[in-house]
Amino acid sequence: MALLELRNVSKIYHTGGEEIRALDDVTLGLNQGDFISIIGPSGSGKSTLMHILGCLDLPTLGHVVLDGIDISKASQRELARVRNRTIGFVFQSFNLLPKLNVLQNVELPMVYAGVGGRARRERATAALAMVKLENRMKNRPSQLSGGQQQRVAIARALVNNPKIILADEPTGNLDTHTGELILNLFRELSAQGRTVILVTHNPEIAAVTPRRIEIRNGKVAERVDERLAGLDRLGKLQATGAQPVS
């Protein structure tokens, strides 16, 4: 069973007496550990698809099933609870609070989740260790490089142990080398079993993922790079100590 499914999903807006289908009968399934990119030009429906996948919005028609539960008619409060527990978000602009230090920024999702202070600190410290920034916990965001700030944002996305990481143009404000490091980190997270979704307009960024969803005029077409998919599968097997079946 897919971790996240869209079944015949449409998102319809009405403006000036005209019906606009930002998404048009989209059916899509994402599995645990998928490393996938969503790509499309401006106005294609890419942002709308991202909002639906991230439980930031609901479809006009169709069903969204997350971890076996249909959330298509969920209330805003229920959606917020699902997002906090299941999805970690990473944004192009980092969205770190400048007056808080690194540790406090990473703790924020747990504050909203009602986690106690000691547990927050332990989990935030562990998340920062995963992105190799445990030695910068007391720094403010302004004291970090762009790549370091993005790694803090990834640590913040990880603290509630989400099954899905949704990253919107995560390398857009980074130089090429730093962007490659961030993409490698996402690849590692996928190999650990998290579903990682990159939303990008850049074909070169999309090319690093084994699965690619291209969206145009509200409809999607999927492309799977068999070579990358094979490498991705082999990497996951190696990570678990399993052997590929010949």
Side-chain angles (χ1 to χ4, degrees):
M1 180 177 65
L3 174 62
L4 177 58
E5 288 184 272
L6 272 56
R7 300 174 182 169
N8 304 109
V9 162
S10 294
K11 185 66 179 180
I12 303 170
Y13 298 98
H14 293 89
T15 176
E18 181 182 1
E19 179 180 282
I20 298 174
R21 289 185 173 249
L23 293 179
D24 188 5
D25 197 30
V26 171
T27 294
L28 179 65
L30 278 65
N31 299 314
Q32 182 178 344
D34 272 354
F35 188 24
I36 183 171
S37 58
I38 297 173
I39 189 168
S42 178
S44 64
K46 182 171 80 267
S47 294
T48 304
L49 179 58
M50 179 188 74
H51 289 162
I52 298 290
L53 291 172
C55 300
L56 295 164
D57 200 0
L58 293 172
T60 307
L61 300 171
H63 296 272
V64 179
V65 181
L66 176 58
D67 213 6
I69 300 173
D70 192 330
I71 59 170
S72 308
K73 305 298 182 183
S75 68
Q76 289 303 314
R77 178 175 293 184
E78 289 168 338
L79 281 182
R81 186 162 54 247
V82 167
R83 289 194 301 269
N84 191 261
R85 293 178 177 176
T86 310
I87 304 172
F89 294 91
V90 180
F91 301 98
Q92 178 178 352
S93 56
F94 316 137
N95 287 3
L96 302 177
L97 297 184
K99 293 185 178 181
L100 301 184
N101 64 30
V102 164
L103 183 67
Q104 291 167 333
N105 267 284
V106 174
E107 286 180 333
L108 272 178
M110 293 181 289
V111 173
Y112 300 136
V115 178
R118 182 175 179 178
R120 288 202 308 265
R121 182 180 180 87
E122 290 175 352
R123 285 163 57 177
T125 301
L128 285 166
M130 288 182 66
V131 299
K132 298 179 174 58
L133 279 178
E134 63 269 35
N135 63 332
R136 306 301 295 270
M137 290 192 297
K138 298 301 182 182
N139 289 106
R140 299 287 178 88
S142 60
Q143 298 173 304
L144 304 179
S145 69
Q148 289 172 329
Q149 290 186 60
Q150 193 61 296
R151 283 155 60 195
V152 172
I154 293 171
R156 182 182 58 192
L158 291 173
V159 288
N160 280 338
N161 195 28
K163 295 182 178 181
I164 299 169
I165 301 292
L166 182 57
D168 184 15
E169 300 287 1
T171 63
N173 286 333
L174 306 176
D175 62 76
T176 301
H177 174 69
T178 305
E180 289 175 353
L181 295 177
I182 295 299
L183 291 174
N184 282 335
L185 180 54
F186 284 130
R187 187 178 290 110
E188 291 172 10
L189 293 172
S190 171
Q192 293 167 10
R194 289 183 174 88
T195 300
V196 179
I197 307 168
L198 303 183
V199 181
T200 182
H201 71 282
N202 188 336
E204 293 182 2
I205 300 299
V208 307
T209 64
R211 291 186 64 189
R212 297 190 286 283
I213 300 296
E214 183 175 1
I215 182 164
R216 291 182 180 274
N217 300 318
K219 293 182 177 293
V220 301
E222 181 169 359
R223 179 180 175 187
V224 178
D225 188 317
E226 296 296 343
R227 179 183 61 84
L228 285 175
L231 290 174
D232 188 57
R233 175 176 173 271
L234 179 59
K236 290 176 182 177
L237 287 168
Q238 291 173 340
T240 60
Q243 296 296 319
V245 179
S246 57

